Amino acid sequence: MKKVIYAVVAVLLVVSCNKKEEVKTTESPVAYAKFGDSISPDGAISKEELLTKYLTLKTADTLDIKVTSTIVDVCQKKGCWMNLDLGSGKSALVRFKDYGFFVPKNAGKSEAIIHGKAFVEVTPISDLKEYAKDAGKSQAAIDSIIAPETNYSILADGVLIKK
């Protein structure tokens, strides 16, 4: 009988020595404001990964993406478009599917997660001037636009902006 008691005590000592202490963190989950379709932050690629993918796209190609990056600027009339930083001095123009939602005009410099279709497009001069006007650029800056641009674009169906 003593051997059984010693065996049980020995097992309990081994088990208690191996017990891992749980560490409680006080980190709160990141809070996001949601615009458009509901999306989760899971599985988002970096801006650098997206830029690499853009370099392989042709004008007619599209790519389903979820990317995390910083908003450079937002349409100051309605919040109907925004520019997203891609790094290396590049950005992507983000418009919203079916003109179905807008983002806050003060969302510039915020971290965001965008889900949608990425593509390469040639933007005509008239659109470039309209975007410059919406961004509040000076008349001299608007008048200096004299050639179309090849741009990276995203048609977003959902956006999360870090609060």
Side-chain angles (χ1 to χ4, degrees), residues 87-113:
S88 300
K90 305 283 185 187
S91 64
L93 175 64
V94 180
R95 289 175 281 196
F96 310 111
K97 185 178 178 185
D98 298 329
Y99 211 58
F101 62 95
F102 304 122
V103 296
K105 295 184 281 186
N106 65 349
K109 310 296 184 248
S110 299
E111 290 296 315
I113 298 172

Short mmCIF file of all heavy atoms in Angstrom, two decimals, residues 87-113:
data_model
loop_
_atom_site.label_atom_id
_atom_site.label_comp_id
_atom_site.label_asym_id
_atom_site.label_seq_id
_atom_site.Cartn_x
_atom_site.Cartn_y
_atom_site.Cartn_z
N GLY A 87 4.77 51.44 -51.04
CA GLY A 87 6.21 51.47 -50.80
C GLY A 87 6.95 51.81 -52.07
O GLY A 87 6.37 51.89 -53.16
N SER A 88 8.23 52.06 -51.96
CA SER A 88 9.09 52.41 -53.10
C SER A 88 8.55 53.58 -53.91
O SER A 88 8.72 53.64 -55.13
CB SER A 88 9.29 51.20 -54.03
OG SER A 88 9.88 50.14 -53.34
N GLY A 89 7.86 54.50 -53.25
CA GLY A 89 7.33 55.68 -53.93
C GLY A 89 6.12 55.41 -54.81
O GLY A 89 5.69 56.27 -55.57
N LYS A 90 5.53 54.24 -54.72
CA LYS A 90 4.37 53.85 -55.54
C LYS A 90 3.11 53.87 -54.68
O LYS A 90 3.16 53.73 -53.47
CB LYS A 90 4.54 52.45 -56.12
CG LYS A 90 5.80 52.24 -56.91
CD LYS A 90 5.68 52.86 -58.27
CE LYS A 90 6.93 52.53 -59.08
NZ LYS A 90 6.96 53.21 -60.33
N SER A 91 1.97 54.05 -55.35
CA SER A 91 0.69 53.99 -54.65
C SER A 91 -0.35 53.36 -55.57
O SER A 91 -0.14 53.23 -56.78
CB SER A 91 0.24 55.39 -54.22
OG SER A 91 0.00 56.20 -55.35
N ALA A 92 -1.46 52.95 -54.97
CA ALA A 92 -2.57 52.38 -55.73
C ALA A 92 -3.81 53.22 -55.46
O ALA A 92 -4.10 53.58 -54.32
CB ALA A 92 -2.82 50.94 -55.31
N LEU A 93 -4.55 53.51 -56.53
CA LEU A 93 -5.82 54.22 -56.41
C LEU A 93 -6.90 53.21 -56.05
O LEU A 93 -7.08 52.22 -56.76
CB LEU A 93 -6.18 54.92 -57.72
CG LEU A 93 -7.53 55.61 -57.75
CD1 LEU A 93 -7.59 56.76 -56.75
CD2 LEU A 93 -7.83 56.12 -59.15
N VAL A 94 -7.58 53.44 -54.94
CA VAL A 94 -8.63 52.55 -54.48
C VAL A 94 -9.98 53.23 -54.69
O VAL A 94 -10.20 54.34 -54.20
CB VAL A 94 -8.46 52.19 -52.99
CG1 VAL A 94 -9.57 51.25 -52.53
CG2 VAL A 94 -7.09 51.58 -52.74
N ARG A 95 -10.83 52.57 -55.48
CA ARG A 95 -12.22 53.02 -55.63
C ARG A 95 -13.11 51.95 -55.04
O ARG A 95 -12.66 50.84 -54.77
CB ARG A 95 -12.53 53.27 -57.10
CG ARG A 95 -11.81 54.53 -57.61
CD ARG A 95 -12.00 54.72 -59.07
NE ARG A 95 -11.06 53.80 -59.73
CZ ARG A 95 -10.72 53.87 -60.99
NH1 ARG A 95 -11.23 54.77 -61.76
NH2 ARG A 95 -9.86 53.01 -61.50
N PHE A 96 -14.38 52.26 -54.86
CA PHE A 96 -15.25 51.37 -54.12
C PHE A 96 -16.33 50.79 -55.03
O PHE A 96 -16.97 51.52 -55.80
CB PHE A 96 -15.83 52.10 -52.92
CG PHE A 96 -14.75 52.77 -52.12
CD1 PHE A 96 -14.63 54.14 -52.07
CD2 PHE A 96 -13.79 52.00 -51.47
CE1 PHE A 96 -13.62 54.75 -51.36
CE2 PHE A 96 -12.75 52.61 -50.76
CZ PHE A 96 -12.67 53.98 -50.71
N LYS A 97 -16.50 49.47 -54.92
CA LYS A 97 -17.40 48.71 -55.79
C LYS A 97 -18.78 49.33 -55.85
O LYS A 97 -19.40 49.61 -54.82
CB LYS A 97 -17.49 47.26 -55.29
CG LYS A 97 -18.29 46.37 -56.18
CD LYS A 97 -18.29 44.96 -55.65
CE LYS A 97 -19.14 44.08 -56.54
NZ LYS A 97 -19.25 42.74 -55.98
N ASP A 98 -19.25 49.53 -57.06
CA ASP A 98 -20.59 50.07 -57.35
C ASP A 98 -20.84 51.42 -56.69
O ASP A 98 -21.98 51.79 -56.46
CB ASP A 98 -21.68 49.08 -56.91
CG ASP A 98 -21.60 47.76 -57.64
OD1 ASP A 98 -21.18 47.77 -58.82
OD2 ASP A 98 -21.94 46.72 -57.04
N TYR A 99 -19.76 52.14 -56.34
CA TYR A 99 -19.89 53.43 -55.67
C TYR A 99 -20.78 53.27 -54.43
O TYR A 99 -21.52 54.15 -54.05
CB TYR A 99 -20.48 54.45 -56.66
CG TYR A 99 -20.04 55.87 -56.48
CD1 TYR A 99 -18.71 56.23 -56.53
CD2 TYR A 99 -20.99 56.88 -56.30
CE1 TYR A 99 -18.32 57.56 -56.39
CE2 TYR A 99 -20.61 58.19 -56.15
CZ TYR A 99 -19.28 58.53 -56.19
OH TYR A 99 -18.89 59.83 -56.05
N GLY A 100 -20.67 52.06 -53.84
CA GLY A 100 -21.60 51.65 -52.79
C GLY A 100 -21.25 52.11 -51.39
O GLY A 100 -22.08 52.00 -50.49
N PHE A 101 -20.06 52.61 -51.18
CA PHE A 101 -19.69 53.11 -49.86
C PHE A 101 -18.55 54.10 -50.01
O PHE A 101 -17.90 54.16 -51.06
CB PHE A 101 -19.31 51.97 -48.90
CG PHE A 101 -18.10 51.15 -49.32
CD1 PHE A 101 -16.84 51.44 -48.84
CD2 PHE A 101 -18.24 50.09 -50.21
CE1 PHE A 101 -15.73 50.70 -49.22
CE2 PHE A 101 -17.14 49.33 -50.59
CZ PHE A 101 -15.89 49.63 -50.10
N PHE A 102 -18.35 54.88 -48.97
CA PHE A 102 -17.28 55.87 -48.93
C PHE A 102 -16.50 55.67 -47.63
O PHE A 102 -16.96 55.00 -46.72
CB PHE A 102 -17.83 57.29 -48.98
CG PHE A 102 -18.70 57.57 -50.17
CD1 PHE A 102 -20.00 58.00 -50.00
CD2 PHE A 102 -18.23 57.40 -51.44
CE1 PHE A 102 -20.82 58.25 -51.09
CE2 PHE A 102 -19.03 57.64 -52.54
CZ PHE A 102 -20.34 58.07 -52.36
N VAL A 103 -15.32 56.26 -47.57
CA VAL A 103 -14.53 56.22 -46.34
C VAL A 103 -14.45 57.64 -45.78
O VAL A 103 -14.69 58.61 -46.51
CB VAL A 103 -13.11 55.64 -46.58
CG1 VAL A 103 -13.20 54.19 -47.02
CG2 VAL A 103 -12.33 56.46 -47.58
N PRO A 104 -14.14 57.79 -44.51
CA PRO A 104 -14.05 59.14 -43.93
C PRO A 104 -12.98 59.99 -44.63
O PRO A 104 -11.91 59.49 -44.97
CB PRO A 104 -13.66 58.88 -42.47
CG PRO A 104 -14.05 57.48 -42.20
CD PRO A 104 -13.92 56.75 -43.50
N LYS A 105 -13.29 61.26 -44.80
CA LYS A 105 -12.35 62.16 -45.47
C LYS A 105 -11.08 62.39 -44.65
O LYS A 105 -10.07 62.79 -45.20
CB LYS A 105 -13.04 63.49 -45.78
CG LYS A 105 -14.17 63.35 -46.78
CD LYS A 105 -14.79 64.68 -47.15
CE LYS A 105 -15.72 65.14 -46.08
NZ LYS A 105 -16.46 66.36 -46.44
N ASN A 106 -11.13 62.09 -43.37
CA ASN A 106 -9.95 62.29 -42.51
C ASN A 106 -9.18 60.98 -42.28
O ASN A 106 -8.41 60.87 -41.34
CB ASN A 106 -10.36 62.89 -41.17
CG ASN A 106 -11.25 61.97 -40.35
OD1 ASN A 106 -11.74 60.96 -40.83
ND2 ASN A 106 -11.47 62.33 -39.10
N ALA A 107 -9.37 59.99 -43.15
CA ALA A 107 -8.73 58.68 -42.97
C ALA A 107 -7.29 58.64 -43.46
O ALA A 107 -6.61 57.63 -43.31
CB ALA A 107 -9.54 57.60 -43.69
N GLY A 108 -6.79 59.74 -44.04
CA GLY A 108 -5.41 59.78 -44.49
C GLY A 108 -4.44 59.45 -43.36
O GLY A 108 -4.69 59.78 -42.21
N LYS A 109 -3.38 58.74 -43.69
CA LYS A 109 -2.33 58.32 -42.75
C LYS A 109 -2.78 57.18 -41.83
O LYS A 109 -2.04 56.79 -40.93
CB LYS A 109 -1.80 59.48 -41.91
CG LYS A 109 -1.41 60.71 -42.71
CD LYS A 109 -0.26 60.46 -43.63
CE LYS A 109 0.17 61.72 -44.34
NZ LYS A 109 -0.07 61.74 -45.75
N SER A 110 -3.98 56.65 -42.02
CA SER A 110 -4.48 55.54 -41.20
C SER A 110 -4.05 54.21 -41.80
O SER A 110 -3.89 54.09 -43.01
CB SER A 110 -6.01 55.56 -41.13
OG SER A 110 -6.47 56.74 -40.54
N GLU A 111 -3.90 53.21 -40.95
CA GLU A 111 -3.64 51.84 -41.40
C GLU A 111 -4.96 51.26 -41.87
O GLU A 111 -6.00 51.45 -41.23
CB GLU A 111 -3.07 50.99 -40.27
CG GLU A 111 -1.67 51.36 -39.88
CD GLU A 111 -0.65 51.13 -41.00
OE1 GLU A 111 -0.69 50.06 -41.64
OE2 GLU A 111 0.17 52.02 -41.22
N ALA A 112 -4.93 50.52 -42.99
CA ALA A 112 -6.16 49.95 -43.53
C ALA A 112 -5.90 48.57 -44.11
O ALA A 112 -4.78 48.24 -44.48
CB ALA A 112 -6.73 50.88 -44.62
N ILE A 113 -6.97 47.80 -44.18
CA ILE A 113 -6.96 46.50 -44.86
C ILE A 113 -8.02 46.60 -45.94
O ILE A 113 -9.18 46.96 -45.66
CB ILE A 113 -7.25 45.35 -43.89
CG1 ILE A 113 -6.16 45.30 -42.83
CG2 ILE A 113 -7.38 44.03 -44.65
CD1 ILE A 113 -6.42 44.33 -41.71
#
